[in-house]
């Protein structure tokens, strides 16, 4: 009972903190890799509290889809540089105007890091489910 109650409170906080780490990663410690690992850790905690079947139902998406979208994001970051006349994976930057006259300085590295976040989360969740599922296919093709 205590573990389930703690999981109900901590898993959303862990997922929110993973997003914080992902967004903070360009200027300070963090990034897509550690953010993705924290997603896997939160799903593992949920699986310990509620069981692997409940965790698989809570994820609601096939981890292979997360991996595929992540790879597409990372490749798109590289292709963007090619389209702008630079070499593959060269960082490209743009200013996005915000209300009040401010601008948000964003780069293609954010798209690449998002891809890393999704690949690490998807691969980790797939590994977790395959280890805990003991050979049962959690997500049939």
């Amino acid at each position: 009972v205590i573990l389930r109650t703690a999981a109900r409170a901590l898993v959303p906080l862990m997922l929110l903190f993973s997003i914080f780490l992902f967004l903070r990663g360009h200027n300070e410690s963090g990034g897509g890799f550690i953010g993705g690992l924290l997603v896997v850790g939160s799903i593992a905690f949920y699986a310990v509290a509620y069981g692997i079947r409940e965790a698989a139902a809570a994820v609601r998406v096939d981890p292979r889809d997360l991996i595929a979208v992540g790879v597409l994001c990372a490749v798109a970051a590289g292709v963007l540089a090619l389209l702008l006349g630079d070499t593959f994976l060269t960082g490209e930057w743009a200013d996005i105007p915000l209300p009040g006259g401010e601008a948000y300085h964003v780069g293609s590295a954010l798209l690449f890091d998002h891809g890393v976040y999704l690949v690490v989360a998807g691969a980790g969740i797939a590994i977790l489910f395959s280890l805990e599922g003991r050979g049962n296919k959690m997500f049939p093709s």
Side-chain angles (χ1 to χ4, degrees):
V1 173
I2 294 171
L3 185 62
R4 287 182 178 209
T5 304
R8 217 174 302 135
L10 291 176
V11 167
L13 290 174
M14 291 171 73
L15 292 172
L16 187 63
F17 190 61
S18 81
I19 294 170
F20 168 75
L21 285 174
F22 162 68
L23 293 174
R24 174 185 145 151
H26 294 290
N27 298 322
E28 297 181 30
S29 301
F33 188 81
I34 192 65
L37 285 179
L38 192 54
V39 170
V40 176
S42 67
I43 300 302
F45 183 43
Y46 192 86
V48 167
Y50 289 97
I52 195 68
R53 297 222 180 264
E54 288 293 322
V59 171
R60 296 184 186 168
V61 66
D62 189 332
R64 295 173 295 187
D65 292 340
L66 291 176
I67 296 168
V69 171
V71 169
L72 286 174
C73 286
V75 169
V79 171
L80 178 66
L82 287 175
L83 293 175
L84 295 173
D86 287 324
T87 59
F88 188 72
L89 286 178
T90 299
E92 302 294 340
W93 297 90
D95 289 323
I96 298 174
L98 298 174
E102 296 291 321
Y104 182 70
H105 194 65
V106 65
S108 61
L110 182 64
L111 181 61
F112 180 81
D113 216 20
H114 183 67
V116 170
Y117 181 85
L118 292 175
V119 168
V120 169
I125 292 169
I127 291 168
L128 174 71
F129 288 166
S130 68
L131 290 175
E132 288 296 318
R134 292 177 185 82
N136 297 333
K137 282 190 118 184
M138 299 304 294
F139 298 101
S141 297

